[in-house]
Amino acid sequence: MKYVKWLNEVTIDDLPLVGGKNASLGEMTQELSAQGINVARGFAITSNAYWRYLDYNGLREKIKRELDGLDTQKTSLLREKTKYVRDLITFGKMPDDLTEEITAAYKQLCERYGDDTAVAVRSSATAEDMPDASFAGQQDTYLNISGIERILERCRSCYGSIFTERATSYRHDKNYDDFNVALSIGINVMVRSDLAASGVAFSVDTESGFTDAVLIDASYGLGEMIVSGQVNPDEYYVFKPTLAKGYNAIIAKRLGAKAQKMVYSDDGSDIKIVDVSEKERNKFALNDDDILHLAKWVVAVEAHYTEKNGHYTPMDVEWAKDGKSGELFIVQARPETVQSQKKLTELVQYRLDEEGDVIITGNSVGEKIASGRAVLMDSPEDIEKLEDGAILVTDITDPDWEPIMKKASAIVTNRGGRTCHAAIISREIGIPAIVGTLNCTEKIKNGQNITVSCAQGDVGFVYDGLLKYHKDVIDLSNIEKPKTKIKMNVGNPSIAFKTSFLPSDGIGLARMEFIINSYIQIHPLALIHPERVKSQVTLDKINSLTAGYENKADYFVDRLADGMALISAAFYPKQVLIRTSDFKSNEYANLIGGKIFEPIEENPMIGFRGASRYYSDSYKEGFALECRAIKKVREKMGLTNLTVMIPFCRTPEEGRKVIEVMEANGLKRGENGLEIYVMCEIPSNVILADQFSEIFDGFSIGSNDLTQLTLGLDRDSSVVAHLFDEKNEAVKRMIHMVIQTAHKYNRPVGICGQAPSDYPEFAQFLVSEGIDSMSLNPDSVMKTTLSVLEMEKKLNK
């Protein structure tokens, strides 16, 4: 055939002939099918057919004349001229020889897959899926098309879509000549994902550029809903290193709203959008086997293109699950276009300098901050309303919005997930976006001054007013490492991937209570004993948060494990010290359902907290859930770099009891490399450091609590706050003593308090005492590293 190529006849080298989509599908069909990877089936109508069609209808010169000197910023003129060109193309006549070839190829598909086989008619431009330009959604795709007449009609529409406003504007802005770009068309057998699920997957974290994770988005029905941003999908992270070792390496699962889905229509049209039942919405769209299966495929696709290109090539993959056969298919794969272009020797961090009132939150896209005047828009035709630098606030975007998006300093939408159109384009043009807020167009007023922050993790915040912020640029190319290990304190798992790029030796303190407070929100005993919760309002909150869980305690375990796994994976294989829950009784009481399970104490700071809770009959069931989550991360996910740290352990006897309880819950010290550290924050930990060394594998000094208990003052009391000083000689002597004793018994000692972050001279004191590691807040790592290096050089003179 002259104008048709079967996918198993083409490779990525045929991109000029069959366009990005078809070339990649052909490449995977030829190179990856042997590994068991299912690729969309069908044929390509070549770019030669496009030129044949234009020439047969005498359109080249007409199009050139119409678009000569086009200014894409003049939107009304752009709209008028591109519509004229599209009409010229769409209402042209298909040449007989081209018609015959397409008909013959479609007939072969029908012979193989059944009469009137339903296909997707997909544009595949010769200038799409480039490493530096995605051309995402620029040309049209049509789903569930049956019969040769309808296929030919949709092919003409595909040809016309190369001159939509969005595609023409995007091409011109990227300096691609209109006649250096041709359109191939893919005719692919439909995967019956209308009966199952579909989505996108990236072989790199789209926000941070972390390369060891696969990010998968999934929703019910045909995949256009996710790409267009019409649904908030499920989100799954899979960790590549432990996946390769055979573990269930799903390190995070987040349930999306999935309110609607796109399915086949039964009323004569191609497709329709229907509501998803509440039961389906409360379930994950993919099971664990499918998630892992898909992640392995994505890793294989990335490995193939990396080898072929001779350099690391992260990939953006579209997938679909067939509801009839249960099989997964890859329906598109292209290079990821944002993280792959970043400078690896430079870390850019945005930080807010002041606080403000939060108007609304959503999924953050990118890591930047922007402020400006909010402009609410319903349609891309209102482009004149948006002045340069304003913040676009709208329900949803599609490729028609792209000329507008380039004028905005940030974007906020009601709908969409992290892989929707608004997210893809905002990353590419380098502006922050917050998607999936549900009702930003109601909460934000037109003309209101707002600040959009995507610098605080996976939750994006829209603040009232123009808040001050700044940008730090850190050069990572020539950083000298000190002998003293520099670790980090991380509470929020959603910033773990981002902070992993800072030069460090792992995590010296990950606070479990942060994960419980933000990821779980419910008191563990309220999940174990819901019958004791008498308030219907409280029960409704619990049932809402735990939707889809028959056993409510499993919700606690899964969410806690996800949070710990994200942090452990980010720094793998470096050590990650995760401190078991260190809420005070009043803080536990503030969790949903917590008041009925907690005592009322006059001074909870030195009351029922830390180790004393874990073996107590009134809480050890809750601690058992913490142990289950730790066991899941270490043994099921394979993240054995997780080290457990016990807080506020008053006596060696308490330490032994906690060790026994942990062992009863499947966490035996020394087994599978499990180490258990103790916080050194009570004078008894220092005085009896020799005895604690027999029970625990290491110490981490908590300088805040050690200071208050050494000096006998409440650090929460404003009356005596002026006396609180980690640099006090009594505290320094305590630190000296514990380092000396611990080293005598070959136990490492670190510090995870705030003091070395705040006071360079204190960090230098710790170096002179021979401390093994310091764990710092991420924003202090570079400054303190330089201070430590300076002190080490002085000591070595």
Side-chain angles (χ1 to χ4, degrees), residues 210-338:
F210 183 71
T211 58
D212 275 344
V214 174
L215 167 64
I216 300 171
D217 276 4
S219 191
Y220 297 116
L222 303 174
E224 295 300 305
M225 295 289 283
I226 288 182
V227 177
S228 64
Q230 295 180 72
V231 294
N232 295 336
D234 294 339
E235 196 171 85
Y236 318 116
Y237 278 103
V238 181
F239 188 51
K240 294 178 189 175
T242 54
L243 177 71
K245 294 178 180 179
Y247 288 97
N248 181 334
I250 304 168
I251 56 174
K253 294 168 70 173
R254 297 168 187 160
L255 192 69
K258 307 185 299 294
Q260 294 181 308
K261 62 181 176 179
M262 185 180 287
V263 298
Y264 283 14
S265 178
D266 50 10
D267 60 5
S269 58
D270 305 332
I271 52 176
K272 64 180 179 181
I273 295 173
V274 299
D275 292 335
V276 174
S277 69
E278 184 177 359
K279 183 178 179 181
E280 278 188 300
R281 291 200 303 270
N282 289 332
K283 287 172 54 181
F284 288 109
L286 289 180
N287 60 42
D288 284 5
D289 287 344
D290 285 338
I291 295 168
L292 295 170
H293 204 86
L294 193 54
K296 289 174 184 175
W297 284 5
V298 173
V299 170
V301 171
E302 179 187 75
H304 172 75
Y305 278 103
T306 294
E307 182 179 0
K308 189 173 184 72
N309 295 334
H311 58 81
Y312 176 58
T313 306
M315 297 297 291
D316 169 358
V317 175
E318 293 183 22
W319 60 271
K321 181 176 181 178
D322 193 299
K324 285 191 169 181
S325 68
E327 292 179 291
L328 290 164
F329 288 85
I330 289 179
V331 296
Q332 186 172 341
R334 57 190 168 217
E336 189 274 342
T337 58
V338 177

Side-chain angles (χ1 to χ4, degrees), residues 7 18-26 28 39-46 119-125 128-129 139-145 151 154-155 157-159 161 183-191 199-200 223-224 227 316-320 329-334:
L7 289 178
V18 296
K21 282 191 191 73
N22 289 330
S24 185
L25 288 173
M28 291 186 294
V39 182
R41 303 154 295 195
F43 60 88
I45 304 169
T46 69
V119 297
V121 181
R122 311 173 73 198
S123 59
S124 180
E128 71 181 3
D129 298 346
Q139 289 81 38
D140 289 344
T141 287
Y142 301 93
L143 303 176
N144 190 27
I145 309 300
I151 289 171
R154 293 294 190 265
C155 285
S157 296
C158 270
Y159 286 152
S161 72
L183 195 79
S184 171
I185 295 173
I187 305 295
N188 301 130
V189 176
M190 287 292 294
V191 177
V200 295
E224 295 300 305
V227 177
D316 169 358
V317 175
E318 293 183 22
W319 60 271
F329 288 85
I330 289 179
V331 296
Q332 186 172 341
R334 57 190 168 217

Side-chain angles (χ1 to χ4, degrees), residues 269-488:
S269 58
D270 305 332
I271 52 176
K272 64 180 179 181
I273 295 173
V274 299
D275 292 335
V276 174
S277 69
E278 184 177 359
K279 183 178 179 181
E280 278 188 300
R281 291 200 303 270
N282 289 332
K283 287 172 54 181
F284 288 109
L286 289 180
N287 60 42
D288 284 5
D289 287 344
D290 285 338
I291 295 168
L292 295 170
H293 204 86
L294 193 54
K296 289 174 184 175
W297 284 5
V298 173
V299 170
V301 171
E302 179 187 75
H304 172 75
Y305 278 103
T306 294
E307 182 179 0
K308 189 173 184 72
N309 295 334
H311 58 81
Y312 176 58
T313 306
M315 297 297 291
D316 169 358
V317 175
E318 293 183 22
W319 60 271
K321 181 176 181 178
D322 193 299
K324 285 191 169 181
S325 68
E327 292 179 291
L328 290 164
F329 288 85
I330 289 179
V331 296
Q332 186 172 341
R334 57 190 168 217
E336 189 274 342
T337 58
V338 177
Q339 298 299 339
S340 59
Q341 303 300 306
K342 282 189 174 179
K343 288 175 66 176
L344 298 179
T345 58
E346 186 177 274
L347 181 66
V348 180
Q349 296 179 324
Y350 282 74
R351 301 189 188 284
L352 281 171
D353 296 327
E354 54 185 334
E355 297 181 356
D357 294 330
V358 176
I359 302 172
I360 201 165
T361 62
N363 298 311
S364 67
V365 177
E367 299 169 356
K368 295 183 178 180
I369 301 173
S371 59
R373 190 175 75 88
V375 177
L376 274 65
M377 295 177 64
D378 297 323
S379 165
E381 295 181 5
D382 299 329
I383 188 170
E384 290 81 6
K385 293 181 180 179
L386 191 80
E387 70 271 19
D388 287 344
I391 295 174
L392 172 63
V393 180
T394 189
D395 179 53
I396 191 173
T397 71
D398 60 33
D400 288 332
W401 287 82
E402 284 174 28
I404 301 174
M405 296 167 74
K406 292 164 190 166
K407 296 178 68 176
S409 63
I411 299 168
V412 187
T413 69
N414 289 332
R415 294 188 281 164
R418 252 182 275 273
T419 53
C420 72
H421 174 267
I424 291 170
I425 299 303
S426 64
R427 286 190 201 101
E428 191 170 299
I429 61 181
I431 62 173
I434 298 177
V435 298
T437 65
L438 302 180
N439 58 347
C440 63
T441 51
E442 297 173 18
K443 294 284 189 179
I444 301 171
K445 298 182 179 67
N446 192 47
Q448 182 177 3
N449 285 330
I450 60 174
T451 298
V452 172
S453 174
C454 295
Q456 294 151 273
D458 58 1
V459 177
F461 296 85
V462 180
Y463 296 96
D464 185 27
L466 305 177
L467 303 184
K468 293 178 182 177
Y469 63 92
H470 72 277
K471 178 176 77 170
D472 294 325
V473 180
I474 301 170
D475 183 0
L476 303 175
S477 56
N478 293 305
I479 294 176
E480 189 179 348
K481 287 190 70 173
K483 180 183 175 184
T484 307
K485 291 182 178 179
I486 302 297
K487 300 183 178 182
M488 281 190 284

Side-chain angles (χ1 to χ4, degrees), residues 508-514 516 577-584 587-588 604-615 619 623 626-627 630 643-659 662 676-682 684-685 692 696 698-702 705-706 709 715 752:
L509 174 62
R511 298 175 176 89
M512 192 180 283
E513 58 268 18
F514 183 98
I516 295 171
L577 274 167
I578 291 185
R579 187 177 69 190
T580 48
S581 63
D582 192 27
F583 285 126
K584 288 74 175 174
E587 294 168 336
Y588 267 113
M605 180 70 79
I606 53 174
F608 190 44
R609 61 177 286 202
S612 61
R613 299 181 69 94
Y614 306 154
Y615 59 87
Y619 185 75
F623 183 62
E626 296 180 28
C627 292
I630 293 167
T643 298
V644 181
M645 185 153 65
I646 305 301
F648 225 76
C649 185
R650 295 174 170 94
T651 66
E653 290 73 26
E654 270 205 325
R656 291 189 182 91
K657 288 180 180 179
V658 171
I659 297 288
M662 291 180 66
I676 304 174
Y677 278 45
V678 66
M679 290 289 295
C680 178
E681 51 194 342
I682 306 170
S684 62
N685 300 141
F692 280 103
F696 294 101
F699 295 83
S700 182
I701 299 167
D705 272 344
L706 186 60
L709 293 173
R715 61 186 166 99
C752 57

